[in-house]
């Protein structure tokens, strides 16, 4: 079984990405998110733009013990129990339950350039999901998918 992804041309060079619907008790409805497949991210994280678009209420989320850190520094995160729903290559739906991290950058401390850049950060599909599959990424064939 394969969960097809795609190479997102909005990145230079194009980056492996995958769509998933997200369900959680803190959401009013299901929402679709385009995730950057990030083998360097330990956890799946919804970034600011998707958090706002999905209407996730930050105050209803569980506090984490510490912020997440990465190349860009640290970011405050909270968690929510959720389900990611992926379309398989056979047309079925695959559900993955996990604790999803939700980021909230402090834009008040950033300059105008930094604020614009932070709001454009993609949500990340982390190793908490990637390691449940085998990641296939073949740029020459424009093939991106998770395989079980």
């Amino acid at each position: 079984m394969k969960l097809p992804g795609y190479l997102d041309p909005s990145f230079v060079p194009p980056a492996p990405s995958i769509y998933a619907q997200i369900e959680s008790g803190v959401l009013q409805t299901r929402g679709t998110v385009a995730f950057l497949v990030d083998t360097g991210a330990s956890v799946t994280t919804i970034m600011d733009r998707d958090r706002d678009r999905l209407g996730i209420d930050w105050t209803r989320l569980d506090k984490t013990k510490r912020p997440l850190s990465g190349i860009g520094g640290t970011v405050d995160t909270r968690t929510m129990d959720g389900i990611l729903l992926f379309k398989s290559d056979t047309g079925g739906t695959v559900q993955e339950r996990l604790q999803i991290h939700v980021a909230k950058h402090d834009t008040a401390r950033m300059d105008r350039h930094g604020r614009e850049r932070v709001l454009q950060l993609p949500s990340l599909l982390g190793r908490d999901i990637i390691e449940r599959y085998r990641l296939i990424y073949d740029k020459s064939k424009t093939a991106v998918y998770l395989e079980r």
Side-chain angles (χ1 to χ4, degrees):
M1 174 199 52
K2 296 178 184 177
L3 306 179
Y6 63 100
L7 288 175
D8 187 339
S10 67
F11 295 95
V12 178
S17 301
I18 191 168
Y19 284 107
Q21 284 193 336
I22 183 171
E23 284 185 353
S24 176
V26 300
L27 297 175
Q28 300 298 322
T29 61
R30 277 187 190 176
T32 301
V33 175
F35 287 98
L36 176 71
V37 178
D38 187 349
T39 59
S42 56
V43 295
T44 296
T45 306
I46 303 295
M47 292 295 188
D48 305 78
R49 178 181 57 193
D50 288 324
R51 183 199 69 232
D52 293 344
R53 184 179 56 78
L54 293 170
I56 297 173
D57 183 352
W58 179 259
T59 63
R60 292 184 60 204
L61 304 179
D62 297 328
K63 293 181 180 180
T64 56
K65 292 180 183 176
R66 58 185 168 83
L68 288 179
S69 60
I71 293 173
T74 61
V75 62
D76 287 331
T77 57
R78 294 191 176 185
T79 60
M80 63 182 187
D81 291 329
I83 300 172
L84 295 182
L85 299 114
F86 299 93
K87 287 286 185 193
S88 75
D89 60 335
T90 61
T93 301
V94 175
Q95 295 184 18
E96 293 290 349
R97 292 183 184 278
L98 73 159
Q99 192 171 67
I100 301 168
H101 286 70
V102 180
K104 184 174 184 181
H105 288 86
D106 182 4
T107 56
R109 294 187 329 184
M110 297 179 184
D111 61 14
R112 183 169 182 237
H113 176 74
R115 184 176 308 124
E116 291 170 356
R117 192 180 36 170
V118 163
L119 295 178
Q120 298 304 313
L121 290 174
S123 291
L124 305 174
L125 189 74
R127 291 190 314 269
D128 53 352
I129 292 292
I130 297 168
E131 290 178 349
R132 299 177 189 184
Y133 296 85
R134 185 169 65 130
L135 172 63
I136 304 299
Y137 170 50
D138 186 340
K139 184 178 175 184
S140 67
K141 296 180 182 176
T142 62
V144 176
Y145 55 91
L146 297 172
E147 182 177 57
R148 209 178 252 163

